[in-house]
Amino acid sequence: MRRRDFLLGSAGAALIPLGNGAWAASAGNSGPSRLVVVMLRGAVDGLNVVVPYGEDAYYAARPTIAVPKPDAAEGAAVALDGHFALHPALNALMPLWQTKQLAFIHAAGSPDPTRSHFDAQLFIENGTPGRRVTADGWMNRLLASLPGAANGVPGPTSALAIGANLPQILKGRLPVANLPLGPAAANKLAIDRPEVAQAFDRLYDTDDPIGRAYRQGRAARTELIAGLNSEQQMADNGAPLPNTFPTQAARLAGLITRDRNIRLAFVSLGGWDTHVRQGSHSGQLADRLRPLGQGLAALAQGLGKDWADTVVIVISEFGRTARENGDAGTDHGHGNALWVLGGPVRGGRVYGEWPGLAPAALYEGRDLAATTDYRAALAAVIARHLRLSDRALTQIFPDFAPARSDIDGIIA
Amino acid sequence: MLRRSLLATAAASLASLALPRLSGAAEPPGDRQILHVLDRLAFGPTQEDLAHVRSVGIERYIAEQLNPKTIPEPPELAARLAELETLSLDPIELFLRYGPALPGIGMKPSPEEAKARRETARIIVQEAARARVLRARYSPRQLEQVMVDFWFNHFNVFALKGLDHLWIGAYEASAIRPHALGRFGDLLLATARHPAMLFYLDNWENSAPGSKMPFGREAGINENYARELMELHTLGVDGGYTQADVVALAEILTGWGLARPRMPPPDRSGFYFDPSRHQWGKKEFLGREIAPGGVAEGVEALDMLAKSPATARHIAGKLARYFVADAPPRALVERLSARFQESDGDIAAVLQTLFASREFHDSTAAKYKSPYRYVLSAVRAAGVPVNNPRPLLGTMARLGQPLYFCATPDGYKDSEDAWLSPDATVMRVSFATALASGRLPLQAKPAPEGPVVAAAAATAEPVDAAPLDSLLAPAISERTRAALAAAPVELRAALILGSPDFMRR
């Protein structure tokens, strides 16, 4: 009996198309709310993303890499309000700011002081700062807490990681799918041949991690590849698209609009560890930010009416030093800006308590302080957007009780 | 429940006696243990290696592997490696032949010229990767190849960072390979001085505040290498250092940089210590005062790090995770750590203790293979000749482990947690099927450009399941055997190479 349930609950169910909106219908929601998390691995320099141009200390700390003020003749940052401005390479996001669908929470960060990329990323992903041993990730715990999850096992594509591996943030008890969205994503594999699939299905018919991974992979492939094939034929016209973030984001949008079961998606981008010559309005960091901004805009556009139910969070493991280092770059720091965009966002506003960059205000005398715990920021977004109970929140972020703040209003 | 599974196990083992094997090969006692040793000291068994260990015994095999120079290399392999010209060039020569044209001499290269030079330089990474795969496939010095992979990954550099594409092969050849079974302190110093590492973690520009780089640009302190040197290469993140130690070590290492290609270098290593960019004055590092000594300060600091008990624990833990289990027994790690300290970081001595341990021998199939290992072990077990490594490199990349392209300094993880995923599992069985059917163009002339799996004309023979089955028999589970018996004959080799059993080592 247990075995039969297991098969039906995973491979069995997966191979029968569920139809659009099956999940939403069972959850009783008006539409499936979706969350996309974009992680910038390597610690993006948030002070050059959401620039505190109203503060002289910013320009004093960064003689060669500061982004010029909004009234500058060349390379000017784009004013968000009287104090903050956006890096000009992120211009593609300004329409979202103007229509109040983009917000930032500045000076957000971890209560853990580590400046190790790897520990800090782990803590962002497992949701328990300072505790490495937490085995699962907060997005997997979130998947278990979604309203409607109790009505049935989530489908094989309820949560999707873009990439060849499963990131820590999605690891855990509930099955999740992963798929790289590179140019070869939709290429035929041997497993697509029925006689090969049949032989391996038999071999992997086991209730252990490897058997579960296999069935999950088969089921996700069956659902996702069909969508990718039709999308690629339409969009690529046979020619391979470059493997850039805007292309991936457009593909992700296509997957989400076609597969109504996708509720959570995760993608990470590297290359933010700018210790040397990061540039100001142009240069290395600008060259990384531009495709990110274009990709997020492409995601919003590709989702069409589904953008109204989607929230995207952009997060990085920590910020970078307030002062530029000896090589026109920045070293590992602390507080950072967290980005929140989507139809349900009350945007056009920089949230959070700004500690300032005066020497006495800096964390350990060198970094932007973190005045908002990243868990408080995440909790404020997901609680309202995904209609989570307080109880669910304590399961997602154990040992954490967020204080009420104006961030709670970030989702309409 | 417990009773039921015991019964099921008993039934399964009874059934196994009745099930016919694909081959009639007898199974001498100890073959399971031989496979285990070849799964850990080597990139999995080949027919030849199994026969060799059967004849000399496990203890002798381990002793041989710990002294690779005593093992003759096949002349065919040496001849194929000798064809790879960039492997024998030093960093200076590589820069002059393949690097960007030098500023200050004639014209700055046009964007087209710069792009063309980068294209030409791609041969360096291709040749390094080709050498890696050929050695892993054919060299009888398997442990040396395993340790080259282990240490390259531990001291990772990234082929897409700036000039590092020039020095990937040279770094492996001169900083990693000579010390792979040698002294940890020598290995550490060799990586610290190598242009590939100096460039990758930015130390070549780490300078006393206010000093100037060769072309007049202002430079100052850069913490990048100093931090990763302690966190990743030596002490470990819990190794007891502070932010002040990071800054002190960065100051100690100011001036450790790259030789200027137009200046006659003191040697061909590409390392140059620039006293004019060194921060002179005394420093306090890890509670010890470091007297002003220029380049000697860095050598002293590296020596302190290599001898630290925290480093011994960190390296012992990493070796035990790699060779024994993702969560290795604490007692074993302590013994290895003690051996590391007593032997002054003698890597072969630590490995000797590890391979002689009960924990090592009892850890059969405890590890899930990384993509690199999975792909290499499949071609070795199948006995497929490899001339063109591109389909293998492409598969590693598709599985998330592209060789020489790990962007971050922590290298790739070596745990089930890191590699077992839904997508990886369907990709692996698909690779196994393609390999077994003979459709991967592995015997083609190496074609550096073009699609990875070119129009797959079945040029090679399909893999014969019978010898594969006899090679791996002791490691094939009864469940797999039952699935094999029910499968079409032409899929049996694919099923063995794609089985859950073969995903483990």
Side-chain angles (χ1 to χ4, degrees):
Chain A
M1 184 56 204
R2 208 179 121 250
R3 195 176 125 71
R4 185 157 172 275
D5 281 349
F6 164 71
L7 279 177
L8 284 177
S10 46
L15 298 174
I16 303 161
L18 290 169
N20 285 357
W23 171 283
S26 71
N29 291 346
S30 56
S33 309
R34 288 168 226 88
L35 177 72
V36 178
V37 175
V38 178
M39 184 151 167
L40 307 182
R41 296 190 192 275
V44 68
D45 181 21
L47 288 173
N48 269 16
V49 172
V50 180
V51 178
Y53 75 89
E55 197 155 342
D56 291 342
Y58 168 76
Y59 290 97
R62 298 181 162 213
T64 73
I65 64 164
V67 183
K69 294 189 181 202
D71 59 1
E74 202 204 331
V78 187
L80 296 173
D81 57 25
H83 193 74
F84 293 108
L86 192 63
H87 193 290
L90 291 172
N91 231 328
L93 294 179
M94 280 314 287
L96 290 171
W97 175 266
Q98 279 141 8
T99 53
K100 303 201 184 303
Q101 298 175 84
L102 166 64
F104 297 96
I105 302 171
H106 220 325
S110 177
D112 188 88
T114 184
R115 288 191 184 90
S116 154
H117 289 299
F118 313 105
D119 269 359
Q121 287 176 27
L122 176 62
F123 297 150
I124 296 281
E125 293 182 73
N126 72 13
T128 59
R131 265 175 63 92
R132 289 190 202 125
V133 294
T134 307
D136 53 3
W138 68 261
M139 286 185 79
N140 197 287
R141 299 194 293 272
L142 168 60
L143 185 60
S145 305
L146 286 182
N151 298 344
V153 182
T157 59
S158 295
L160 173 66
I162 308 305
N165 304 311
L166 274 190
Q168 181 65 37
I169 200 167
L170 271 167
K171 283 191 179 136
R173 189 168 58 82
L174 289 185
V176 300
N178 72 307
L179 184 74
L181 286 179
N187 284 3
K188 281 270 179 244
L189 294 178
I191 196 72
D192 299 329
R193 290 179 6 231
E195 72 278 12
V196 174
Q198 196 185 5
F200 278 108
D201 285 356
R202 189 187 172 98
L203 189 55
Y204 278 87
D205 183 15
T206 53
D207 188 7
D208 56 11
I210 203 166
R212 286 193 289 272
Y214 172 85
R215 279 190 301 282
Q216 179 67 16
R218 284 263 291 126
R221 189 169 171 80
T222 309
E223 269 195 51
L224 295 173
I225 293 298
L228 270 184
N229 277 331
S230 58
E231 179 246 358
Q232 277 198 305
Q233 275 161 11
M234 280 188 299
D236 304 0
N237 230 348
L241 290 172
N243 189 21
T244 59
F245 183 64
T247 311
Q248 287 195 8
R251 289 209 174 110
L252 176 60
L255 284 178
I256 290 175
T257 53
R258 266 184 302 277
D259 186 341
R260 313 302 297 173
N261 294 310
I262 298 176
R263 301 289 309 275
L264 306 179
F266 175 85
V267 59
S268 67
L269 301 171
W272 307 99
D273 195 16
T274 50
H275 285 277
V276 166
R277 280 185 299 293
Q278 65 177 63
S280 68
H281 62 281
S282 65
Q284 203 191 131
L285 179 62
D287 293 344
R288 301 291 304 164
L289 289 174
R290 196 169 299 106
L292 172 58
Q294 289 165 347
L296 293 171
L299 182 64
Q301 193 183 14
L303 284 175
K305 63 180 171 42
D306 290 331
W307 181 245
D309 306 312
T310 303
V311 171
V312 182
I313 293 172
V314 182
I315 191 168
S316 197
E317 67 263 33
F318 43 65
R320 309 191 68 84
T321 45
R323 279 183 285 274
E324 68 181 74
N325 66 14
D327 300 325
T330 42
D331 293 323
H332 301 184
H334 194 55
N336 203 340
L338 192 144
W339 322 6
V340 186
L341 53 159
V345 175
R346 280 202 186 109
R349 186 178 155 189
V350 179
Y351 290 79
E353 183 198 325
W354 178 246
L357 295 177
L362 294 178
Y363 175 76
E364 295 184 353
R366 51 179 266 156
D367 308 328
L368 176 64
T371 54
T372 299
D373 188 313
Y374 75 95
R375 293 168 298 176
L378 296 172
V381 172
I382 62 176
R384 186 146 174 94
H385 177 52
L386 300 170
R387 302 182 184 90
L388 303 175
S389 64
D390 283 354
R391 212 180 98 96
L393 278 180
T394 57
Q395 278 158 1
I396 297 165
F397 297 116
D399 311 320
F400 176 66
R404 297 278 164 219
S405 78
D406 66 334
I407 294 169
D408 298 338
I410 197 167
I411 300 295
Chain B
M1 180 60 204
L2 178 65
R3 180 147 172 278
R4 197 164 160 261
S5 61
L6 283 175
L7 282 175
T9 312
S13 40
L14 283 175
S16 75
L17 295 175
L19 263 178
R21 299 210 179 280
L22 292 180
S23 75
E27 186 190 311
D31 269 10
R32 182 67 194 90
Q33 207 54 28
I34 295 176
L35 291 185
H36 171 60
V37 168
L38 290 171
D39 267 338
R40 301 288 173 85
L41 277 74
F43 288 113
T46 59
Q47 301 284 358
E48 298 75 16
D49 283 350
L50 176 67
H52 176 68
V53 187
R54 272 179 177 162
S55 84
V56 302
I58 286 176
E59 275 182 38
R60 166 95 179 270
Y61 178 75
I62 291 174
E64 286 171 359
Q65 290 297 314
L66 287 168
N67 295 285
K69 288 194 176 61
T70 63
I71 308 169
E73 291 249 64
E76 310 83 60
L77 174 61
R80 290 166 76 182
L81 294 175
E83 291 166 11
L84 307 174
E85 289 174 1
T86 62
L87 287 191
S88 55
L89 301 180
D90 63 55
I92 305 262
E93 190 62 32
L94 286 163
F95 183 88
L96 292 173
R97 273 200 215 178
Y98 293 99
L102 299 170
I105 304 161
M107 304 287 285
K108 216 180 160 192
S110 69
E112 293 77 35
E113 281 167 336
K115 196 171 165 224
R117 284 185 73 86
R118 257 196 103 89
E119 282 295 306
T120 314
R122 284 175 57 182
I123 191 163
I124 300 168
V125 175
Q126 284 161 4
E127 290 197 342
R130 182 170 161 73
R132 258 289 188 96
V133 170
L134 290 178
R135 281 187 165 119
R137 168 69 185 86
Y138 291 108
S139 173
R141 301 174 178 176
Q142 281 285 298
L143 181 61
E144 182 184 88
Q145 316 316 321
V146 166
M147 293 311 293
V148 166
D149 179 53
F150 178 89
W151 291 122
F152 186 97
N153 192 61
H154 182 78
F155 294 103
N156 183 51
V157 298
F158 175 39
L160 287 182
K161 173 145 177 177
L163 295 176
D164 266 357
H165 66 285
L166 300 174
W167 295 320
I168 284 283
Y171 176 69
E172 182 167 308
S174 67
I176 303 288
R177 183 171 292 281
H179 308 292
L181 287 159
R183 276 188 65 253
F184 180 79
D186 296 339
L187 176 63
L188 180 66
L189 182 61
T191 61
R193 288 170 45 97
H194 200 280
M197 182 62 80
L198 289 163
F199 195 92
Y200 176 54
L201 289 177
D202 304 321
N203 201 75
W204 71 288
E205 297 190 84
N206 177 31
S207 312
S211 53
K212 286 203 169 27
M213 295 295 291
F215 297 105
R217 190 157 38 74
E218 292 244 348
I221 297 290
N222 189 309
E223 294 174 6
N224 198 11
Y225 177 59
R227 178 184 304 282
E228 308 301 9
L229 174 56
M230 290 194 282
E231 174 179 337
L232 300 174
H233 298 169
T234 58
L235 304 178
V237 71
D238 293 322
Y241 59 91
T242 64
Q243 175 62 32
D245 291 317
V246 172
V247 173
L249 183 55
E251 288 173 354
I252 287 167
L253 291 169
T254 46
W256 284 52
L258 304 174
R260 282 191 267 166
R262 312 300 304 181
M263 279 172 58
D267 58 56
R268 303 294 294 178
S269 72
F271 173 76
Y272 175 66
F273 174 73
D274 182 350
S276 76
R277 290 190 297 110
H278 184 67
Q279 172 143 340
W280 296 87
K282 63 182 179 194
K283 292 109 185 163
E284 179 159 327
F285 175 57
L286 298 176
R288 192 203 287 190
E289 190 171 293
I290 307 285
V295 71
E297 296 168 29
V299 175
E300 182 183 350
L302 288 166
D303 188 58
M304 282 171 67
L305 290 170
K307 288 187 162 66
S308 162
T311 299
R313 259 194 314 277
H314 181 208
I315 301 299
K318 194 159 175 174
L319 286 169
R321 277 196 300 283
Y322 189 83
F323 282 104
V324 178
D326 290 355
R330 184 170 300 193
L332 174 67
V333 176
E334 278 166 18
R335 292 208 305 283
L336 298 179
S337 176
R339 188 83 189 98
F340 186 99
Q341 286 183 265
E342 288 154 19
S343 66
D344 193 19
D346 181 336
I347 296 160
V350 177
L351 288 178
Q352 188 175 40
T353 302
L354 194 159
F355 298 147
S357 72
R358 173 56 44 204
E359 292 91 336
F360 172 75
H361 284 274
D362 289 349
S363 63
T364 314
K367 294 282 295 181
Y368 182 77
K369 290 175 183 172
S370 67
Y372 185 75
R373 265 190 179 269
Y374 173 68
V375 166
L376 291 172
S377 65
V379 289
R380 282 172 56 82
V384 177
V386 176
N387 189 38
N388 171 28
R390 287 204 80 220
L392 307 180
L393 295 167
T395 304
M396 292 167 194
R398 176 61 183 73
L399 288 167
Q401 197 179 20
L403 179 59
Y404 300 129
F405 294 100
C406 176
T408 51
D410 53 337
Y412 294 119
K413 298 210 165 37
D414 183 64
S415 62
E416 175 165 337
D417 191 48
W419 298 118
L420 177 58
S421 83
D423 182 68
T425 311
V426 297
M427 280 306 300
R428 285 185 183 206
V429 302
S430 296
F431 166 77
T433 308
L435 175 67
S437 67
R439 280 180 300 128
L440 297 181
L442 294 169
Q443 280 100 83
K445 236 174 86 87
E449 306 303 328
V452 170
V453 182
T459 48
E461 291 293 308
V463 172
D464 185 350
L468 184 63
D469 181 62
S470 107
L471 173 69
L472 299 173
I476 296 178
S477 66
E478 293 314 323
R479 164 173 287 282
T480 298
R481 198 156 287 294
L484 287 179
V489 178
E490 67 273 14
L491 281 178
R492 284 186 186 166
L495 287 168
I496 293 172
L497 295 172
S499 67
D501 313 318
F502 198 72
M503 300 296 155
R504 310 198 72 86
R505 62 178 175 101

